Amino acid sequence: FGENLITNSSRTFHKDGQSQIVQVNALADRPQPSALLEEYQALLLAEKDCMAAIRESEWEISEIIKLRTNQEQNISLETPYYDIVRIKAEESEEEEEDEKESAYDYLSPFLPNLTGMQQLSREQALEVREKCLKALKDRLIERANIIQARLDEESAALAKRQQSFNRDRDQMTAEEEEEYEKAVEESMFRIHILEKRLKRHEEQALHKYYELDHKLRSDTRLASLLQPV
C-alpha cells in the first residue's frame, strides 16, 4: 500500500513468463524487466519447493497410515508382572485342589461293608460306580456354580460402580477419579481370572469324568463289572 492509500499495487505472473502489473501510483517508477524476471524466477523456485514439501508430507502421511494399520492388525497385549504373579497364585490354588482330589480315595465312601473275602456283586459294583460318578459330577457342577456366582457378583459390582461414576463424575475430584480407575482395573482383573477359571473348569470337567470312569473300570474292587452278564 502506498502512503495515505487504501489500494495496493499488484503483479501477476503467468506460466508463459508474461506478467501483469497494476500500479496504483502512476508517478512511481515501473519495475525493470530484469527485476520482473528475477522475481518470476524466484516465484518458480518457491513453487517448486512448495510442491516438493507437499509431496513429502503426503508420503509421510501415507507411511504413518501404513504403520498404524499394521500395528492395529498385529496388536499383542502384554500382561504386567504383578498380574502374572497373581494369575500364577490363582492357578496354584486350582492345582492344590486337584492334588487333594487325586490323593483322595474316590471309591471307599461308596463301598458297602463286606466281610472276609466277600466280593461285590455286579449289581453292587454298578451301583457303587454310578454313585461315585454322580458324586464327581455334583462336585464339578458345584464348583462351576461357585465360580459363576463369583463372576456374576463381580460383574454386577463393576456395573454398579460404573453407574455411580457416570452419575457423579462431574462432582468427583481427581483423586476420586484415580481411585475409581484403580478399582475398575482391579475388578476387570478379577473378572478376567474368573472367566479364565470357569473356561478351564468347563474344559477339564468332561476329561475328569471320563478319567474317573476309566479308573473305576480298572479298579480291582469293582472287578465284577468285567464279568459277563
Side-chain angles (χ1 to χ4, degrees), residues 31-49:
Q32 296 296 319
S34 58
L36 293 175
L37 178 60
E38 183 178 351
E39 185 176 355
Y40 173 68
Q41 291 175 342
L43 289 173
L44 289 178
L45 182 60
E47 180 187 38
K48 183 179 179 181
D49 293 341

Side-chain angles (χ1 to χ4, degrees), residues 6-213:
I6 61 172
T7 57
N8 68 322
S9 301
S10 64
R11 298 173 187 175
T12 304
F13 294 91
H14 301 280
K15 287 290 186 179
D16 59 2
Q18 298 296 319
S19 60
Q20 181 179 356
I21 301 174
V22 177
Q23 193 158 314
V24 176
N25 187 356
L27 300 178
D29 295 333
R30 293 182 64 83
Q32 296 296 319
S34 58
L36 293 175
L37 178 60
E38 183 178 351
E39 185 176 355
Y40 173 68
Q41 291 175 342
L43 289 173
L44 289 178
L45 182 60
E47 180 187 38
K48 183 179 179 181
D49 293 341
C50 181
M51 294 299 296
I54 291 173
R55 292 191 182 95
E56 184 177 358
S57 296
E58 290 176 342
W59 178 83
E60 290 179 354
I61 293 172
S62 176
E63 290 299 309
I64 291 173
I65 292 175
K66 289 179 182 178
L67 178 61
R68 289 299 303 272
T69 301
N70 183 60
Q71 290 175 341
E72 291 173 359
Q73 292 176 348
N74 298 278
I75 295 176
S76 59
L77 300 178
E78 296 183 358
T79 305
Y81 175 77
Y82 177 63
D83 290 347
I84 292 176
V85 173
R86 296 171 65 184
I87 291 173
K88 288 185 176 180
E90 292 281 347
E91 292 177 348
S92 296
E93 291 180 5
E94 293 184 13
E95 291 174 358
E96 289 178 3
E97 292 178 2
D98 292 339
E99 289 177 0
K100 290 180 181 178
E101 289 186 0
S102 299
Y104 175 71
D105 185 356
Y106 52 87
L107 194 56
S108 59
F110 309 101
L111 290 172
N113 294 325
L114 300 176
T115 58
M117 300 298 293
Q118 186 178 2
Q119 297 289 326
L120 292 176
S121 66
R122 179 176 175 78
E123 289 73 17
Q124 288 176 317
L126 285 172
E127 183 179 357
V128 169
R129 173 178 171 272
E130 292 302 320
K131 287 182 178 180
C132 188
L133 289 173
K134 184 179 184 302
L136 173 64
K137 182 179 179 181
D138 291 342
R139 288 200 305 273
L140 293 173
I141 293 175
E142 181 182 8
R143 181 182 294 183
N145 289 338
I146 291 174
I147 299 174
Q148 185 65 58
R150 290 178 59 189
L151 178 59
D152 293 341
E153 181 181 354
E154 195 66 49
S155 298
L158 175 61
K160 184 177 180 180
R161 186 178 290 112
Q162 290 173 331
Q163 290 176 356
S164 298
F165 174 76
N166 292 332
R167 183 184 64 245
D168 304 330
R169 66 182 307 174
D170 293 337
Q171 289 78 36
M172 295 177 69
T173 63
E175 291 77 10
E176 289 174 335
E177 289 190 11
E178 185 176 354
E179 290 179 1
Y180 164 78
E181 291 175 357
K182 290 181 179 179
V184 169
E185 183 179 351
E186 287 287 328
S187 184
M188 291 295 293
F189 175 81
R190 289 191 293 269
I191 289 174
H192 170 71
I193 292 297
L194 290 170
E195 289 176 340
K196 184 177 179 180
R197 292 187 67 181
L198 182 59
K199 182 179 179 181
R200 180 183 177 189
H201 175 73
E202 291 173 347
E203 291 173 349
Q204 292 182 343
L206 191 59
H207 172 73
K208 289 182 178 181
Y209 186 87
Y210 284 121
E211 183 180 30
L212 178 60
D213 186 39

